[in-house]
Amino acid sequence: MSTAAAPFDVTRVRRDFPILAQHVNGHPLVYLDSAASGQRPNAVLRAVERYETHHHSNVHRGVHALSQAATEAFEGARERARRFLNARSRREIVFVRGTTEGINLVAQAFARPRFGPGDEILITGLEHHANIVPWQMVCEQTGCTLKVAPIDRRGELDLDRFLRQLTARTRLVAVAHVSNALGTVLPVERIVEAAHSCGALVLLDGAQAVPHTAIDVQALGCDFYAFSGHKLYGPTGIGVLFGREELLEEMPPWQGGGDMIRTVSFEKSTYNDLPWKFEAGTPNISGAVGLAAAMDYLEGLDIEAVAAHEQRLLALATAELSRIPGLEIIGTAAHKAAVLSFTLRGCHPHDLGTILDSEGVAIRTGHHCAMPVMTFFDIPATARASFGCYNTEADVDALVAALGKAREVFG
Ligand code: C6P
């Protein structure tokens, strides 16, 4: 019996994503913006529709059948997320709106009550604003200091400098697992090991990593891991914050309201168990159901097979774009995920994006919520093509052809 894995069947995968079958501006849609938001497969659309049509009610609140069905679906999604991350316990899985909210939760409920003058938070020069601004706010609130480990011209973390900036004063290291603007995959295992040996805890921003690599938070050894459902072919408005149980247990709640309490009186309130202590108010139930379906879908495809397919597209696109005169690839790290940022001489990235759109090619242009990265490379913005499980070599060809049109316009 052969044990060889079946080849990745992208034609079949594309059939799962009805949105891709449309035309945009008279051309077949070529969707190269999955780093901003992935599209949803039928499995996710149907899971959400099924939930909304047959099972919706509020969770944790009713004895009636629908409320119990909704609670089962919601808590089932939590167990699905636990398995997806290989967390030890469901108590470590907090549903949030997305990566941004997950990081803000850690900033306000973990860092703010603990940190003070003399303490340091260490990030890197390639972070998304969601992994910069919450720490700046904590610094203003507590008097602690934000340190930034530099990147080099390839968009790689300068690990030596990072290790030298890591000291006994560092309380928390917060880094992207994968950079959204450059595609760089960071050496997170090494970072976690080094941080822990200095007594610092580690938060990983997994927004761009989860669609491209299997995550095992126990193997990574990180203390917090945050990601968004919509980058993972799931719905918007739902994400996960993983936190080690001992840490979450010690942390005060962040937001107050329904569901996060055990008892309330005007004199004093007591708080719910984990993870509900951090889930004030009615949660995004259908979002969690859709997220669980997205995890089933992606694991069904085999994340490693998807990643290998995307790496082939990245290599092809990198080779093709490198041949275009005046085009410069921004972010040339040795280890990259399926993100390709670039500039074209004489053409502002926004104009480039508009021309590509007129050819049906959807890319993202701008600073990608990573302004310090743009400052480092001394550019206002980049054009960014990003690949998902449904992209094809024909999509790369369409990108190259549309860039040819842009060159004709801008000479
Ligand atoms: N990056 C992009 O086009 P939210 O918005 O909370 O789902 O994710 C925020 C976020 C945090 N960290 C990283 C590394 C990210 O890439 C993102 C979202 C999108 O690159 C929108 S700016």
Side-chain angles (χ1 to χ4, degrees):
M1 199 173 71
S2 166
T3 53
F8 188 73
D9 187 352
V10 67
T11 310
R12 185 181 64 74
V13 171
R14 286 181 72 79
R15 282 201 290 269
D16 294 335
F17 291 82
I19 200 168
L20 298 177
Q22 64 184 295
H23 280 61
V24 169
N25 294 324
H27 298 272
L29 169 65
V30 175
Y31 189 74
L32 295 176
D33 199 18
S34 297
S37 204
Q39 297 298 350
R40 287 80 156 135
N42 279 319
V44 170
L45 300 174
R46 290 199 186 123
V48 171
E49 188 187 10
R50 209 165 34 242
Y51 168 78
E52 297 286 12
T53 311
H54 300 292
H55 305 301
H56 173 65
S57 181
N58 212 328
V59 288
H60 308 140
R61 285 168 172 85
V63 291
H64 61 78
L66 276 186
S67 176
Q68 286 180 18
T71 303
E72 255 170 52
F74 186 65
E75 293 304 328
R78 195 186 310 277
E79 168 58 18
R80 185 67 189 83
R82 184 203 65 73
R83 272 196 289 130
F84 187 78
L85 293 174
N86 192 31
R88 268 181 308 172
S89 159
R90 284 195 294 272
R91 294 163 59 84
E92 301 184 313
I93 304 295
V94 179
F95 281 124
V96 287
R97 278 193 295 134
T99 313
T100 304
E101 188 171 74
I103 297 173
N104 275 278
L105 194 162
V106 176
Q108 291 302 310
F110 177 76
R112 186 177 184 181
R114 281 177 178 71
F115 295 3
D119 291 333
E120 293 177 1
I121 299 168
L122 180 58
I123 62 172
T124 80
L126 53 64
E127 302 304 324
H128 184 281
H129 298 165
N131 200 28
I132 302 173
V133 183
W135 309 121
Q136 290 174 327
M137 291 164 65
V138 167
C139 289
E140 280 169 20
Q141 289 157 345
T142 69
C144 71
T145 304
L146 185 65
K147 290 271 167 98
V148 183
I151 55 172
D152 63 21
R153 296 299 299 175
R154 305 183 70 181
E156 289 186 351
L157 174 65
D158 183 337
L159 198 57
D160 286 342
R161 296 272 297 277
F162 171 85
L163 294 174
R164 270 183 272 132
Q165 282 172 293
L166 196 55
T167 71
R169 286 188 299 278
T170 315
R171 302 284 308 273
L172 182 75
V173 171
V175 299
H177 193 167
V178 171
S179 153
N180 69 318
L182 302 166
T184 313
V185 180
L186 279 92
V188 286
E189 286 87 354
R190 181 81 186 86
I191 288 172
V192 170
E193 186 200 325
H196 283 174
S197 70
C198 281
L201 298 186
V202 181
L203 175 141
L204 297 178
D205 168 353
Q208 296 294 340
V210 281
H212 309 297
T213 180
I215 306 297
D216 181 335
V217 289
Q218 294 189 62
L220 284 171
C222 59
D223 301 287
F224 298 102
Y225 196 97
F227 68 92
S228 308
H230 68 103
K231 313 268 194 212
L232 191 68
Y233 312 109
T236 52
I238 186 77
V240 169
L241 172 71
F242 156 81
R244 276 202 296 113
E245 185 170 343
E246 311 83 272
L247 298 170
L248 294 179
E249 199 65 78
E250 287 170 13
M251 286 158 57
W254 178 34
Q255 296 175 328
D259 233 20
M260 52 72 71
I261 53 88
R262 185 182 306 287
T263 61
V264 174
S265 72
F266 288 119
E267 290 70 38
K268 182 176 169 52
S269 298
T270 58
Y271 306 127
N272 205 342
D273 292 334
L274 291 177
W276 306 291
K277 180 172 87 173
F278 294 108
E279 294 180 357
T282 300
N284 182 353
I285 310 164
S286 68
V289 168
L291 177 58
M295 290 171 172
D296 285 344
Y297 180 80
L298 189 57
E299 288 189 353
L301 290 184
D302 179 354
I303 299 185
E304 301 307 336
V306 170
H309 170 71
E310 292 165 346
Q311 284 295 321
R312 282 192 292 277
L313 297 179
L314 179 67
L316 175 67
T318 303
E320 293 289 326
L321 267 58
S322 302
R323 274 201 281 274
I324 298 176
L327 188 144
E328 186 185 358
I329 293 176
I330 308 293
T332 51
H335 193 190
K336 281 180 68 173
V339 167
L340 192 55
S341 264
F342 55 93
T343 56
L344 188 62
R345 197 169 47 235
C347 179
H348 192 282
H350 288 308
D351 297 331
L352 193 53
T354 307
I355 293 177
L356 264 56
D357 183 52
S358 70
E359 299 293 313
V361 178
I363 59 163
R364 186 170 170 192
T365 60
H367 53 62
H368 314 294
C369 299
M371 277 185 175
V373 172
M374 304 300 128
T375 305
F376 176 78
F377 284 98
D378 198 19
I379 48 180
T382 74
R384 184 189 69 183
S386 53
F387 303 102
C389 63
Y390 33 63
N391 288 118
T392 64
E393 294 185 4
D395 291 343
V396 176
D397 293 344
L399 171 66
V400 173
L403 285 169
K405 291 253 162 73
R407 286 193 61 236
E408 281 168 23
V409 175
F410 288 92

